Amino acid sequence: MHSTAAKITMRAAMVTVPLLAAGCFMPTKQPDAAMVKPAPEDRVFALPDQGASTGNVVVTRDIGAVGSKCAIGVMVDEQMAAHLNTAESVTFALKPGRHLLTATGIDGPGLCSFNATKSALARRRSTEIFVDADTTRKYRLSFPAVESPPVIEPAF
C-alpha cells in the first residue's frame, strides 16, 4: 500500500513540475498601463544635474514570473538610478544627447543575492539611447528568455 501511494505521488510530480516550470519560465510581457505604478522614492536615486533643457526617458519593468521576486537595477550612464520591481516605472529627465541605459542584477534577500554575483553582473546588458529636448521616450525592462539577463528595449 505504501509503495502504491509513493508511485502515485511520483507520477503526479512528474506531470505537475514540468507544467509549473513551463508557466514560470515564460518571457515577460508589457503590463497594461493601469497596472503600472511609479517606483517608490526610496528606490530612485539622484543623477548628476542634467541642465535646464531635458527630455524624459521612461523605463517600465515588464510583468511575468521570470525574476519577478527580485528588483532589477536601472543604470543611467553607468550610475545606479533606480531599482524596479515588476509593473513599476521610473522617469528620468536627461540632457539631450547620447546616454547608456543598463539593466543589472542587484543584491537582495534570499535567491535574489545571486543577481549580484560576478557572473550575473558580467551578463548585464546596456542600450544606447538618444534624448531630444522636450520629448519623451519609453523603454521596457524585460526578460526575453529564462536564460537571458534583463534587457532594456524601446516600448511603444
Side-chain angles (χ1 to χ4, degrees), residues 36-59:
V36 178
K37 296 180 176 33
E41 289 181 20
D42 65 329
R43 288 192 278 114
V44 179
F45 312 110
L47 293 172
D49 182 26
Q50 300 292 308
S53 177
T54 61
N56 288 323
V57 172
V58 180
V59 179

Side-chain angles (χ1 to χ4, degrees), residues 70 105-121 123:
C70 302
I106 56 173
D107 196 12
L111 294 176
C112 296
S113 64
F114 290 113
N115 282 334
T117 63
K118 284 185 180 181
S119 62
L121 294 176
R123 292 178 357 129

